[in-house]
Amino acid sequence: MPHRTFFKFIAPSLFVMLLFIALPILSVAYQSLFIEHEQILVEVENCGPFGCEKELRIDTEAMDRAMEESPMGRFNWLGTYANTSHLAFAEVGAIWRDSDGPVSALRAMLNLPFYKALIFTIAYTFIVTPLGMVLGFFVALGVNSIPRLLKGPVIFFSLLPMIVTPLVGSLVLFWMIDSSGVIGANLQLLLNDPQLSLKASPTLTWVTLFLYGVWHAAPFSFVVFYAGLQTVPGDTLESAMIDGASRWERVRFVVIPHLMPLATFIALVQLMDNFRVFEPIIGFSAAANATSLSYLIYNDLRGSETPLFGSAAATSMLTIIGVVILLMPVLIRTWRDFNRKV
Amino acid sequence: MSSKARSRSTTLVVFSTAFIVLWLIVAAFPFLWTVWGSFKVEADFFSRTDWMNAVTGPVTQARTGSAFTGAGYHGAWVEQEFWRAAINTLIVTVFVTLISLTFGTLGGYALARSGYRYTFWILMAALVFRAMPHVTLVSGYLLPFFQLNIWGILPTTIIVIVAINQPFTLWMLHSFFLSIPKDLDESAMVDGCSRFQAFRLVVIPVMWPGVITTGLFSFLLAYNDFTVTAMLLSQENQTMVPKIASFLGSTQAEGKVMYAVAAVVSAIAPLFLLVLFFQKQIVSGLTAGAVKG
């Protein structure tokens, strides 16, 4: 296809992607270098029936003028990245100087908002992704062996946790697990602990979120693995059997190698999706015990009265760097494959 | 295939059946429970004394005279004007799907037919874009949108969701068009068609299966989106998902949590129907990416 025709065809698609994905990344990078104007205070004398009082007030006029002069706020260079709510260099330095061991130092770092979110996001990504894949694989093996007639309905119900809106799905589970929901209340009775609740301890909150994540992620692995199982070569299975391979050995040495390329694909997609974990934190009202990088950005923009654009942008940039690191192995591999092909 | 390699021992059959039954309960029970419970009053659905209350509904019976009540739905749809959110969701999803598919088929077709090196780079860039957490992008739009005064309205949100969907749509349609033989449109061009004519007259009539599958996923992405709609829509333009989130803050405090439960069930119902009718397409779409990409 000549270049001209190609670009005519792809122009609309390329245009929206550049305008609403590439440009915002640049815009975020630029925004992260600024912070909000300081409040300009003026002293006013307030005279009432009981005499006069001096009072500090925000000078809205001066604020408006400052906003008009530089709508982005004050230039702060990389200051936002270094402050307490982001990389917190000063605090981290102090923690490592004063702590008596790496474990207690890590524990202390969990009090810093950015590191707390980062550690949760990484833990969520690398715990939920493999567990979801393992569960999906076993469900696929199971569904593959049931009678044909039942397969349709079973697949239908298995798809639901993935198809349903993440926020809605997490709410549905939250209402069951919460202290007055069916699972929560019965757990309290069973363990004889009326104080037991999701919000009681960070560990419990984390485990609940991980369980939700596996529940939400497993159907995708299931569907892809199930499709892969349909193409496992029957001849190879039979010859493995003649060679005396047990059932497990056949799964281990024939089925799993056959599904390996699919597993790489699933892992890639799930790593990308789990890294932006956000909705379950809202659904489970878990923000007190567990926050993710995406949640931090949302909170900066919607949590306070005036959106903290600078702070949100700095977290966004750090998140984007995280995504690029996450994708690096895939990108390098694809690049090598591509060069070999050409 | 009934060959011996596929036959199983009884213990294994029992074990795997039990496992599947357990999985089905885990996957489906929460939804059935919530749908059932949405027709009860709060004291029954969130009963601390006996979970059977949520099944039989004694308090519901005492208060309304019947074991089922539509009070939650009435509260959500009429009192809290959830219908407005439903209409907004309809507008957003329909337009996002249509525009995504239009842009996506053109782009995906071009990527599948051009043999130049830059197609690889465009696909790689799309992969990186696909991985960007949506909220990081939204934090880039928010300030410019405020300044241009286009924040809060539906068209802005629609085009943003289209753009966020585009990498996925491109990948999927690209691999679909690769499966349509090149000879088809090339022979049309030998017969004197231009590229556009060949696309319109030869490719469009055979592309519908792939387009419908991709459309389903565009629809799902738009329907399920929370990040973009929660940040870019003003109160009165909210779609269903952010509306449900706003129920959590305001109505839960007033003891009207059943409104949120009813709204959640209302939001699940269309998805239920979608999977019911398009199960085959959804499954094939999920696997197409894996097998070909």
Tab-separated table of all heavy atoms in Angstrom, chain A residues 1 3 6 9 13 20 24 27 152 158 163 165 172 186 188 215 227 238 247 250 265 272-273 276 302 316 339, chain B residues 3 5 7 12 23 26 33-34 48 51 106 116-118 130-132 139-141 143 166 224 230 279 287 290:
chain	number	residue	atom	x	y	z
A	1	MET	N	0.856	-1.202	0.000
A	1	MET	CA	0.000	0.000	0.000
A	1	MET	C	0.885	1.244	0.000
A	1	MET	O	1.789	1.335	0.827
A	1	MET	CB	-0.883	-0.022	1.254
A	1	MET	CG	-2.037	0.935	1.198
A	1	MET	SD	-2.903	0.989	2.780
A	1	MET	CE	-4.065	-0.336	2.593
A	3	HIS	N	2.378	4.947	0.720
A	3	HIS	CA	2.338	5.701	1.975
A	3	HIS	C	1.107	6.582	2.095
A	3	HIS	O	0.502	6.700	3.142
A	3	HIS	CB	3.574	6.595	2.091
A	3	HIS	CG	4.848	5.821	2.054
A	3	HIS	ND1	5.153	4.871	2.980
A	3	HIS	CD2	5.893	5.872	1.196
A	3	HIS	CE1	6.337	4.352	2.688
A	3	HIS	NE2	6.811	4.934	1.612
A	6	PHE	N	-2.064	4.751	2.849
A	6	PHE	CA	-1.955	4.238	4.207
A	6	PHE	C	-2.297	5.319	5.224
A	6	PHE	O	-3.099	5.108	6.128
A	6	PHE	CB	-0.538	3.713	4.454
A	6	PHE	CG	-0.308	3.258	5.866
A	6	PHE	CD1	-0.771	2.020	6.284
A	6	PHE	CD2	0.356	4.064	6.778
A	6	PHE	CE1	-0.569	1.595	7.579
A	6	PHE	CE2	0.557	3.648	8.079
A	6	PHE	CZ	0.097	2.410	8.479
A	9	PHE	N	-5.958	6.219	5.413
A	9	PHE	CA	-6.762	5.244	6.136
A	9	PHE	C	-6.561	5.358	7.652
A	9	PHE	O	-7.503	5.265	8.425
A	9	PHE	CB	-6.385	3.818	5.701
A	9	PHE	CG	-7.223	3.281	4.580
A	9	PHE	CD1	-6.778	3.289	3.274
A	9	PHE	CD2	-8.479	2.765	4.849
A	9	PHE	CE1	-7.550	2.797	2.244
A	9	PHE	CE2	-9.269	2.252	3.821
A	9	PHE	CZ	-8.802	2.269	2.527
A	13	SER	N	-7.618	7.389	13.288
A	13	SER	CA	-7.190	6.604	14.429
A	13	SER	C	-5.929	7.192	15.064
A	13	SER	O	-5.833	7.383	16.276
A	13	SER	CB	-6.946	5.184	13.924
A	13	SER	OG	-6.591	4.361	14.948
A	20	PHE	N	-5.203	12.358	22.320
A	20	PHE	CA	-5.739	12.026	23.642
A	20	PHE	C	-4.917	11.003	24.415
A	20	PHE	O	-5.264	10.649	25.524
A	20	PHE	CB	-7.188	11.536	23.517
A	20	PHE	CG	-8.115	12.615	23.080
A	20	PHE	CD1	-8.606	12.652	21.787
A	20	PHE	CD2	-8.481	13.619	23.961
A	20	PHE	CE1	-9.457	13.665	21.386
A	20	PHE	CE2	-9.330	14.630	23.563
A	20	PHE	CZ	-9.816	14.658	22.273
A	24	PRO	N	-1.542	14.048	26.180
A	24	PRO	CA	-1.710	14.096	27.632
A	24	PRO	C	-0.474	13.648	28.407
A	24	PRO	O	-0.203	14.170	29.485
A	24	PRO	CB	-2.872	13.130	27.896
A	24	PRO	CG	-3.621	13.102	26.645
A	24	PRO	CD	-2.648	13.328	25.553
A	27	SER	N	1.562	16.582	28.442
A	27	SER	CA	0.915	17.571	29.300
A	27	SER	C	1.141	17.231	30.772
A	27	SER	O	1.387	18.106	31.599
A	27	SER	CB	-0.568	17.631	28.953
A	27	SER	OG	-1.340	18.003	30.042
A	152	GLY	N	-21.752	-24.936	27.571
A	152	GLY	CA	-22.276	-23.600	27.306
A	152	GLY	C	-22.654	-22.856	28.576
A	152	GLY	O	-22.112	-21.788	28.856
A	158	SER	N	-19.069	-18.660	34.073
A	158	SER	CA	-17.653	-18.393	34.351
A	158	SER	C	-17.217	-17.039	33.822
A	158	SER	O	-16.282	-16.442	34.340
A	158	SER	CB	-16.779	-19.468	33.697
A	158	SER	OG	-17.155	-20.729	34.165
A	163	ILE	N	-16.722	-9.998	32.944
A	163	ILE	CA	-17.485	-9.073	32.107
A	163	ILE	C	-18.077	-7.939	32.942
A	163	ILE	O	-18.121	-6.789	32.502
A	163	ILE	CB	-18.630	-9.838	31.390
A	163	ILE	CG1	-18.053	-10.893	30.457
A	163	ILE	CG2	-19.542	-8.893	30.651
A	163	ILE	CD1	-17.391	-10.353	29.233
A	165	THR	N	-18.733	-4.892	35.270
A	165	THR	CA	-17.985	-3.702	35.618
A	165	THR	C	-17.179	-3.905	36.904
A	165	THR	O	-17.754	-4.329	37.904
A	165	THR	CB	-18.985	-2.556	35.861
A	165	THR	OG1	-20.016	-2.651	34.887
A	165	THR	CG2	-18.331	-1.218	35.789
A	172	VAL	N	-20.534	-5.862	44.746
A	172	VAL	CA	-21.311	-7.075	44.999
A	172	VAL	C	-20.594	-7.940	46.040
A	172	VAL	O	-21.205	-8.419	47.002
A	172	VAL	CB	-21.528	-7.842	43.678
A	172	VAL	CG1	-21.986	-9.262	43.942
A	172	VAL	CG2	-22.546	-7.125	42.814
A	186	ASN	N	-21.524	-14.321	58.990
A	186	ASN	CA	-21.353	-15.722	59.371
A	186	ASN	C	-19.931	-16.038	59.813
A	186	ASN	O	-19.731	-16.872	60.689
A	186	ASN	CB	-21.756	-16.631	58.215
A	186	ASN	CG	-23.267	-16.728	58.116
A	186	ASN	OD1	-23.931	-16.934	59.120
A	186	ASN	ND2	-23.801	-16.545	56.921
A	188	GLN	N	-18.111	-13.923	61.444
A	188	GLN	CA	-18.065	-13.412	62.819
A	188	GLN	C	-18.622	-14.450	63.784
A	188	GLN	O	-18.061	-14.691	64.852
A	188	GLN	CB	-18.867	-12.125	62.937
A	188	GLN	CG	-18.177	-10.929	62.332
A	188	GLN	CD	-18.994	-9.665	62.498
A	188	GLN	OE1	-20.140	-9.719	62.938
A	188	GLN	NE2	-18.417	-8.546	62.146
A	215	TRP	N	-10.561	-13.453	41.415
A	215	TRP	CA	-11.936	-13.734	40.962
A	215	TRP	C	-12.222	-13.021	39.644
A	215	TRP	O	-12.816	-13.570	38.724
A	215	TRP	CB	-12.875	-13.249	42.071
A	215	TRP	CG	-14.343	-13.462	41.850
A	215	TRP	CD1	-15.020	-14.640	41.952
A	215	TRP	CD2	-15.322	-12.466	41.557
A	215	TRP	NE1	-16.348	-14.428	41.733
A	215	TRP	CE2	-16.564	-13.102	41.488
A	215	TRP	CE3	-15.265	-11.083	41.345
A	215	TRP	CZ2	-17.749	-12.425	41.220
A	215	TRP	CZ3	-16.435	-10.406	41.074
A	215	TRP	CH2	-17.663	-11.076	41.020
A	227	ALA	N	-9.605	-22.403	24.994
A	227	ALA	CA	-9.486	-22.434	23.542
A	227	ALA	C	-8.207	-23.151	23.136
A	227	ALA	O	-8.192	-23.911	22.166
A	227	ALA	CB	-9.494	-21.011	22.991
A	238	GLU	N	-1.523	-39.353	22.889
A	238	GLU	CA	-1.587	-40.822	22.865
A	238	GLU	C	-0.209	-41.432	22.885
A	238	GLU	O	0.040	-42.406	23.602
A	238	GLU	CB	-2.368	-41.282	21.621
A	238	GLU	CG	-3.837	-41.474	21.932
A	238	GLU	CD	-4.639	-41.868	20.718
A	238	GLU	OE1	-4.193	-42.765	19.987
A	238	GLU	OE2	-5.707	-41.259	20.513
A	247	ARG	N	-1.160	-39.335	33.965
A	247	ARG	CA	-2.024	-38.215	33.605
A	247	ARG	C	-1.331	-36.884	33.857
A	247	ARG	O	-1.320	-35.999	33.017
A	247	ARG	CB	-3.311	-38.319	34.421
A	247	ARG	CG	-4.197	-37.085	34.352
A	247	ARG	CD	-5.593	-37.455	34.680
A	247	ARG	NE	-6.076	-38.473	33.763
A	247	ARG	CZ	-6.510	-38.210	32.539
A	247	ARG	NH1	-6.521	-36.977	32.096
A	247	ARG	NH2	-6.937	-39.162	31.763
A	250	ARG	N	1.384	-36.189	31.441
A	250	ARG	CA	0.885	-35.749	30.136
A	250	ARG	C	0.539	-34.261	30.169
A	250	ARG	O	0.832	-33.522	29.239
A	250	ARG	CB	-0.343	-36.558	29.734
A	250	ARG	CG	0.012	-37.778	28.895
A	250	ARG	CD	-1.207	-38.623	28.647
A	250	ARG	NE	-1.443	-39.527	29.762
A	250	ARG	CZ	-2.640	-39.991	30.088
A	250	ARG	NH1	-3.710	-39.627	29.409
A	250	ARG	NH2	-2.777	-40.815	31.105
A	265	PHE	N	1.022	-14.451	26.546
A	265	PHE	CA	0.077	-13.420	26.137
A	265	PHE	C	-0.814	-13.012	27.314
A	265	PHE	O	-0.999	-11.824	27.589
A	265	PHE	CB	-0.770	-13.955	24.973
A	265	PHE	CG	-2.043	-13.199	24.738
A	265	PHE	CD1	-2.029	-11.996	24.066
A	265	PHE	CD2	-3.253	-13.699	25.205
A	265	PHE	CE1	-3.207	-11.305	23.856
A	265	PHE	CE2	-4.429	-13.010	25.000
A	265	PHE	CZ	-4.405	-11.808	24.321
A	272	MET	N	-0.584	-5.666	32.618
A	272	MET	CA	-0.969	-4.294	32.285
A	272	MET	C	-2.242	-3.891	33.034
A	272	MET	O	-2.346	-2.794	33.560
A	272	MET	CB	-1.204	-4.157	30.782
A	272	MET	CG	0.038	-4.305	29.957
A	272	MET	SD	-0.164	-3.721	28.269
A	272	MET	CE	-1.153	-4.944	27.501
A	273	ASP	N	-3.221	-4.813	33.050
A	273	ASP	CA	-4.505	-4.473	33.669
A	273	ASP	C	-4.402	-4.407	35.195
A	273	ASP	O	-4.996	-3.530	35.824
A	273	ASP	CB	-5.577	-5.490	33.261
A	273	ASP	CG	-5.991	-5.295	31.816
A	273	ASP	OD1	-5.601	-4.257	31.246
A	273	ASP	OD2	-6.679	-6.156	31.267
A	276	ARG	N	-2.940	-1.207	36.913
A	276	ARG	CA	-3.746	0.006	37.104
A	276	ARG	C	-4.913	-0.229	38.063
A	276	ARG	O	-5.931	0.439	37.981
A	276	ARG	CB	-4.214	0.566	35.770
A	276	ARG	CG	-4.977	-0.377	34.891
A	276	ARG	CD	-5.468	0.366	33.656
A	276	ARG	NE	-5.907	-0.554	32.637
A	276	ARG	CZ	-5.465	-0.556	31.388
A	276	ARG	NH1	-4.583	0.303	30.991
A	276	ARG	NH2	-5.916	-1.419	30.513
A	302	ARG	N	-9.717	14.450	42.774
A	302	ARG	CA	-11.099	14.536	43.212
A	302	ARG	C	-11.266	14.621	44.720
A	302	ARG	O	-12.318	14.993	45.212
A	302	ARG	CB	-11.907	13.324	42.707
A	302	ARG	CG	-12.057	13.225	41.221
A	302	ARG	CD	-12.606	14.485	40.578
A	302	ARG	NE	-13.936	14.843	41.028
A	302	ARG	CZ	-15.056	14.565	40.362
A	302	ARG	NH1	-14.990	13.908	39.235
A	302	ARG	NH2	-16.221	14.939	40.824
A	316	SER	N	1.550	10.550	38.247
A	316	SER	CA	1.293	9.963	36.928
A	316	SER	C	2.593	9.650	36.209
A	316	SER	O	2.752	8.573	35.626
A	316	SER	CB	0.481	10.921	36.062
A	316	SER	OG	-0.771	11.128	36.625
A	339	ASN	N	13.492	-7.858	14.293
A	339	ASN	CA	14.748	-7.695	13.558
A	339	ASN	C	15.174	-8.997	12.901
A	339	ASN	O	15.754	-8.992	11.824
A	339	ASN	CB	15.841	-7.214	14.506
A	339	ASN	CG	15.823	-5.701	14.597
A	339	ASN	OD1	15.291	-5.045	13.721
A	339	ASN	ND2	16.388	-5.171	15.652
B	3	SER	N	-10.911	-41.292	22.285
B	3	SER	CA	-9.734	-42.145	22.329
B	3	SER	C	-9.343	-42.400	23.780
B	3	SER	O	-9.779	-41.712	24.695
B	3	SER	CB	-8.573	-41.479	21.608
B	3	SER	OG	-8.123	-40.399	22.377
B	5	ALA	N	-6.659	-41.899	25.333
B	5	ALA	CA	-5.843	-40.876	25.968
B	5	ALA	C	-6.708	-39.879	26.730
B	5	ALA	O	-6.240	-39.186	27.621
B	5	ALA	CB	-5.023	-40.155	24.915
B	7	SER	N	-9.688	-40.700	28.267
B	7	SER	CA	-10.531	-41.302	29.297
B	7	SER	C	-9.942	-41.008	30.680
B	7	SER	O	-8.756	-40.773	30.829
B	7	SER	CB	-10.639	-42.807	29.080
B	7	SER	OG	-9.389	-43.397	29.303
B	12	LEU	N	-10.690	-38.931	39.527
B	12	LEU	CA	-10.387	-37.672	38.856
B	12	LEU	C	-11.672	-36.996	38.398
B	12	LEU	O	-11.818	-35.784	38.521
B	12	LEU	CB	-9.467	-37.934	37.664
B	12	LEU	CG	-8.809	-36.653	37.173
B	12	LEU	CD1	-7.703	-36.253	38.123
B	12	LEU	CD2	-8.301	-36.815	35.774
B	23	TRP	N	-16.209	-23.725	41.624
B	23	TRP	CA	-15.882	-22.530	40.850
B	23	TRP	C	-17.162	-21.808	40.408
B	23	TRP	O	-17.252	-20.587	40.477
B	23	TRP	CB	-15.017	-22.888	39.656
B	23	TRP	CG	-15.054	-21.844	38.566
B	23	TRP	CD1	-15.630	-21.958	37.352
B	23	TRP	CD2	-14.516	-20.506	38.629
B	23	TRP	NE1	-15.489	-20.790	36.644
B	23	TRP	CE2	-14.811	-19.882	37.404
B	23	TRP	CE3	-13.824	-19.782	39.603
B	23	TRP	CZ2	-14.439	-18.580	37.120
B	23	TRP	CZ3	-13.456	-18.471	39.317
B	23	TRP	CH2	-13.759	-17.880	38.086
B	26	VAL	N	-18.558	-19.887	43.243
B	26	VAL	CA	-17.761	-18.676	43.485
B	26	VAL	C	-18.045	-17.623	42.420
B	26	VAL	O	-18.163	-16.435	42.707
B	26	VAL	CB	-16.257	-19.027	43.512
B	26	VAL	CG1	-15.413	-17.777	43.498
B	26	VAL	CG2	-15.945	-19.859	44.736
B	33	TRP	N	-27.205	-13.888	44.527
B	33	TRP	CA	-27.499	-13.414	45.877
B	33	TRP	C	-27.915	-11.944	45.862
B	33	TRP	O	-28.888	-11.544	46.498
B	33	TRP	CB	-26.256	-13.628	46.746
B	33	TRP	CG	-26.383	-13.135	48.147
B	33	TRP	CD1	-25.902	-11.959	48.643
B	33	TRP	CD2	-27.027	-13.795	49.227
B	33	TRP	NE1	-26.199	-11.854	49.965
B	33	TRP	CE2	-26.896	-12.966	50.357
B	33	TRP	CE3	-27.706	-15.003	49.358
B	33	TRP	CZ2	-27.415	-13.310	51.594
B	33	TRP	CZ3	-28.219	-15.339	50.593
B	33	TRP	CH2	-28.077	-14.497	51.690
B	34	THR	N	-27.162	-11.134	45.114
B	34	THR	CA	-27.443	-9.700	45.087
B	34	THR	C	-28.739	-9.411	44.343
B	34	THR	O	-29.520	-8.550	44.762
B	34	THR	CB	-26.269	-8.944	44.450
B	34	THR	OG1	-25.068	-9.374	45.078
B	34	THR	CG2	-26.415	-7.456	44.617
B	48	ARG	N	-28.015	-9.059	60.479
B	48	ARG	CA	-26.916	-9.486	61.343
B	48	ARG	C	-27.321	-10.694	62.171
B	48	ARG	O	-26.487	-11.366	62.746
B	48	ARG	CB	-26.492	-8.349	62.263
B	48	ARG	CG	-25.903	-7.183	61.516
B	48	ARG	CD	-25.193	-6.271	62.479
B	48	ARG	NE	-24.075	-6.949	63.091
B	48	ARG	CZ	-22.804	-6.634	62.866
B	48	ARG	NH1	-22.500	-5.648	62.078
B	48	ARG	NH2	-21.840	-7.290	63.467
B	51	TRP	N	-28.741	-15.152	58.408
B	51	TRP	CA	-28.607	-14.901	56.971
B	51	TRP	C	-29.810	-15.422	56.196
B	51	TRP	O	-30.065	-14.972	55.079
B	51	TRP	CB	-27.322	-15.507	56.436
B	51	TRP	CG	-27.242	-17.003	56.550
B	51	TRP	CD1	-26.774	-17.700	57.615
B	51	TRP	CD2	-27.652	-17.952	55.586
B	51	TRP	NE1	-26.861	-19.038	57.372
B	51	TRP	CE2	-27.395	-19.234	56.133
B	51	TRP	CE3	-28.192	-17.871	54.300
B	51	TRP	CZ2	-27.681	-20.408	55.443
B	51	TRP	CZ3	-28.473	-19.041	53.616
B	51	TRP	CH2	-28.225	-20.305	54.185
B	106	LEU	N	-10.838	1.318	9.553
B	106	LEU	CA	-9.971	1.985	8.574
B	106	LEU	C	-8.508	1.762	8.940
B	106	LEU	O	-7.694	1.323	8.116
B	106	LEU	CB	-10.284	3.482	8.529
B	106	LEU	CG	-11.625	3.859	7.899
B	106	LEU	CD1	-11.906	5.336	8.103
B	106	LEU	CD2	-11.640	3.526	6.419
B	116	TYR	N	5.123	-1.880	5.136
B	116	TYR	CA	6.269	-1.062	5.532
B	116	TYR	C	6.601	-1.213	7.014
B	116	TYR	O	5.772	-1.645	7.817
B	116	TYR	CB	6.006	0.412	5.214
B	116	TYR	CG	6.023	0.690	3.739
B	116	TYR	CD1	4.844	0.915	3.052
B	116	TYR	CD2	7.232	0.697	3.041
B	116	TYR	CE1	4.864	1.154	1.688
B	116	TYR	CE2	7.251	0.937	1.685
B	116	TYR	CZ	6.079	1.166	1.009
B	116	TYR	OH	6.101	1.396	-0.325
B	117	ARG	N	7.823	-0.808	7.343
B	117	ARG	CA	8.334	-0.979	8.688
B	117	ARG	C	7.553	-0.167	9.719
B	117	ARG	O	7.407	-0.582	10.862
B	117	ARG	CB	9.803	-0.541	8.685
B	117	ARG	CG	10.649	-1.193	9.735
B	117	ARG	CD	12.034	-0.564	9.726
B	117	ARG	NE	12.789	-1.050	10.868
B	117	ARG	CZ	13.488	-2.176	10.860
B	117	ARG	NH1	13.526	-2.919	9.787
B	117	ARG	NH2	14.146	-2.560	11.936
B	118	TYR	N	7.035	0.997	9.300
B	118	TYR	CA	6.387	1.851	10.307
B	118	TYR	C	5.113	1.232	10.885
B	118	TYR	O	4.685	1.611	11.961
B	118	TYR	CB	6.125	3.277	9.781
B	118	TYR	CG	5.463	3.371	8.432
B	118	TYR	CD1	4.141	2.986	8.252
B	118	TYR	CD2	6.165	3.868	7.346
B	118	TYR	CE1	3.541	3.079	7.016
B	118	TYR	CE2	5.566	3.967	6.101
B	118	TYR	CZ	4.258	3.568	5.939
B	118	TYR	OH	3.658	3.665	4.720
B	130	ARG	N	-1.792	1.153	25.191
B	130	ARG	CA	-2.784	0.265	25.801
B	130	ARG	C	-2.446	0.029	27.278
B	130	ARG	O	-3.324	-0.176	28.099
B	130	ARG	CB	-2.792	-1.052	25.019
B	130	ARG	CG	-3.264	-2.302	25.702
B	130	ARG	CD	-4.765	-2.484	25.594
B	130	ARG	NE	-5.197	-3.790	26.069
B	130	ARG	CZ	-5.227	-4.147	27.354
B	130	ARG	NH1	-4.818	-3.312	28.277
B	130	ARG	NH2	-5.653	-5.345	27.696
B	131	ALA	N	-1.150	0.063	27.597
B	131	ALA	CA	-0.731	-0.234	28.963
B	131	ALA	C	-0.845	0.968	29.898
B	131	ALA	O	-0.794	0.807	31.111
B	131	ALA	CB	0.701	-0.740	28.959
B	132	MET	N	-0.992	2.168	29.337
B	132	MET	CA	-1.061	3.366	30.190
B	132	MET	C	-2.275	3.293	31.114
B	132	MET	O	-3.394	3.103	30.630
B	132	MET	CB	-1.197	4.628	29.322
B	132	MET	CG	0.038	4.986	28.571
B	132	MET	SD	1.346	5.390	29.709
B	132	MET	CE	2.736	4.789	28.787
B	139	SER	N	-5.417	12.709	34.150
B	139	SER	CA	-4.813	13.833	34.860
B	139	SER	C	-4.137	14.783	33.877
B	139	SER	O	-3.927	15.953	34.190
B	139	SER	CB	-3.831	13.332	35.922
B	139	SER	OG	-2.705	12.765	35.318
B	140	GLY	N	-3.835	14.301	32.682
B	140	GLY	CA	-3.317	15.191	31.649
B	140	GLY	C	-4.394	16.010	30.965
B	140	GLY	O	-4.147	17.112	30.514
B	141	TYR	N	-5.622	15.451	30.870
B	141	TYR	CA	-6.680	16.215	30.172
B	141	TYR	C	-7.309	17.288	31.039
B	141	TYR	O	-7.782	18.284	30.543
B	141	TYR	CB	-7.895	15.357	29.776
B	141	TYR	CG	-7.657	14.048	29.118
B	141	TYR	CD1	-8.337	12.916	29.540
B	141	TYR	CD2	-6.811	13.960	28.039
B	141	TYR	CE1	-8.160	11.702	28.912
B	141	TYR	CE2	-6.629	12.737	27.405
B	141	TYR	CZ	-7.301	11.623	27.852
B	141	TYR	OH	-7.133	10.435	27.242
B	143	LEU	N	-6.851	19.666	33.266
B	143	LEU	CA	-6.570	21.099	33.268
B	143	LEU	C	-6.878	21.739	31.909
B	143	LEU	O	-7.608	22.736	31.861
B	143	LEU	CB	-5.117	21.324	33.695
B	143	LEU	CG	-4.745	22.754	34.055
B	143	LEU	CD1	-5.616	23.266	35.185
B	143	LEU	CD2	-3.282	22.830	34.470
B	166	GLN	N	-8.827	2.936	21.274
B	166	GLN	CA	-8.280	2.777	19.930
B	166	GLN	C	-7.125	1.767	19.844
B	166	GLN	O	-7.143	0.927	18.946
B	166	GLN	CB	-7.868	4.161	19.397
B	166	GLN	CG	-7.993	4.410	17.935
B	166	GLN	CD	-9.217	3.855	17.248
B	166	GLN	OE1	-9.084	3.319	16.185
B	166	GLN	NE2	-10.405	3.961	17.788
B	224	ASN	N	-18.178	-0.256	31.028
B	224	ASN	CA	-17.549	-0.540	32.321
B	224	ASN	C	-16.637	0.563	32.809
B	224	ASN	O	-16.107	0.478	33.904
B	224	ASN	CB	-16.741	-1.837	32.224
B	224	ASN	CG	-17.641	-3.044	32.166
B	224	ASN	OD1	-18.816	-2.952	32.459
B	224	ASN	ND2	-17.091	-4.168	31.763
B	230	ALA	N	-15.964	9.161	35.658
B	230	ALA	CA	-16.044	9.772	36.986
B	230	ALA	C	-15.318	11.107	37.033
B	230	ALA	O	-15.704	12.011	37.756
B	230	ALA	CB	-15.448	8.836	38.035
B	279	GLN	N	-22.253	-14.850	23.737
B	279	GLN	CA	-21.209	-15.639	24.400
B	279	GLN	C	-20.153	-16.129	23.404
B	279	GLN	O	-18.955	-16.014	23.634
B	279	GLN	CB	-21.855	-16.826	25.108
B	279	GLN	CG	-20.851	-17.685	25.850
B	279	GLN	CD	-21.553	-18.770	26.632
B	279	GLN	OE1	-22.682	-18.598	27.068
B	279	GLN	NE2	-20.900	-19.887	26.810
B	287	THR	N	-10.067	-15.084	22.464
B	287	THR	CA	-9.029	-16.002	22.029
B	287	THR	C	-8.338	-15.519	20.766
B	287	THR	O	-7.169	-15.809	20.565
B	287	THR	CB	-9.612	-17.394	21.783
B	287	THR	OG1	-10.864	-17.246	21.135
B	287	THR	CG2	-9.815	-18.134	23.061
B	290	ALA	N	-5.227	-13.843	21.371
B	290	ALA	CA	-4.170	-14.705	21.876
B	290	ALA	C	-3.570	-15.547	20.773
B	290	ALA	O	-2.366	-15.736	20.691
B	290	ALA	CB	-4.732	-15.610	22.962
